[in-house]
Amino acid sequence: MTCPNCGNSENFLVKTLQMYLLRVADGSMQPPQEEGRPALFELLCDECDSTIDLDALDAATRRDLMVSLGTR
């Protein structure tokens, strides 16, 4: 994986989105329950803050990224 803007291939910022289900029963809120794995939201170069296009990554790199982060 390499940033097309600056050539960085070592440090990247990953933004994920975690969803929780909040249930309200009899007027009181029950503790949120985790709803599966977080979704990969955005991948940024840590050097220049450019967005890395996830669709431009080859399938093997994208799969390795998702597995290492535990995302979907």
Side-chain angles (χ1 to χ4, degrees):
M1 188 164 42
T2 302
C3 174
N5 191 45
C6 72
N8 169 44
S9 60
E10 294 183 10
N11 298 305
F12 298 89
L13 299 171
V14 179
K15 292 183 181 180
T16 60
L17 178 64
Q18 182 68 50
M19 302 291 285
Y20 295 92
L21 178 62
L22 179 65
R23 294 196 184 271
V24 179
D26 299 323
S28 63
M29 288 187 226
Q30 298 176 0
Q33 298 176 1
E34 190 173 316
E35 288 293 307
R37 300 177 300 171
L40 180 57
F41 186 66
E42 189 175 22
L43 180 62
L44 301 169
C45 174
D46 189 41
E47 300 295 322
C48 69
D49 293 327
S50 294
T51 300
I52 307 298
D53 182 7
L54 295 170
D55 293 330
L57 298 175
D58 62 80
T61 300
R62 193 170 38 251
R63 183 183 61 251
D64 288 345
L65 177 63
M66 300 294 196
V67 168
S68 67
L69 295 171
T71 59
R72 54 184 161 98

